[in-house]
């Protein structure tokens, strides 16, 4: 059994004010695919992960992970200390 793929897609979309449809259109998939990714119901293909990485101009590992991401609020708090 494969482990779930965690992602920051909802956060990245919110930061840019993107709808699921707008992001889907930008990377050439159905808008439902973005929803499945965000909920963890679907793991991206390598091609899709690379397209999303290119779109957001971030390394793939900043978007997707095999381990849950640490909340950004916790990272910011640690940096301020």
């Amino acid at each position: 059994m494969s482990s779930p793929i965690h992602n920051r897609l909802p956060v990245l979309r919110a930061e840019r004010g993107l709808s699921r449809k707008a992001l889907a259109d930008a990377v050439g998939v159905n808008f439902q695919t973005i929803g499945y990714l965000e909920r963890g119901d679907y793991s991206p293909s390598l091609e899709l992960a690379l397209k999303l990485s290119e779109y957001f101009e971030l390394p793939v590992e900043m978007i997707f992970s095999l381990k849950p991401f640490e909340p950004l609020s916790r990272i910011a708090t640690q940096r301020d200390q």
Side-chain angles (χ1 to χ4, degrees):
M1 183 181 267
S2 62
S3 58
I5 303 287
H6 302 276
N7 69 77
R8 287 190 168 130
L9 289 176
V11 173
L12 294 169
R13 277 195 317 102
E15 285 178 349
R16 297 183 187 210
L18 291 170
S19 67
R20 286 180 178 163
K21 179 156 180 23
L23 178 56
D25 289 347
V27 296
V29 297
N30 186 289
F31 76 95
Q32 291 174 319
T33 300
I34 300 300
Y36 294 145
L37 285 170
E38 290 182 352
R39 289 188 303 275
D41 295 339
Y42 174 76
S43 295
S45 66
L46 177 58
E47 179 182 8
L48 180 52
L50 292 171
K51 284 181 178 181
L52 288 163
S53 173
E54 185 176 279
Y55 180 81
F56 286 113
E57 298 178 332
L58 292 170
V60 171
E61 62 271 15
M62 294 286 297
I63 302 171
F64 298 100
S65 176
L66 294 174
K67 299 176 187 171
F69 286 104
E70 188 171 354
L72 295 175
S73 59
R74 187 177 306 148
I75 294 169
T77 302
Q78 290 172 354
R79 189 179 38 184
D80 292 340
Q81 294 177 358

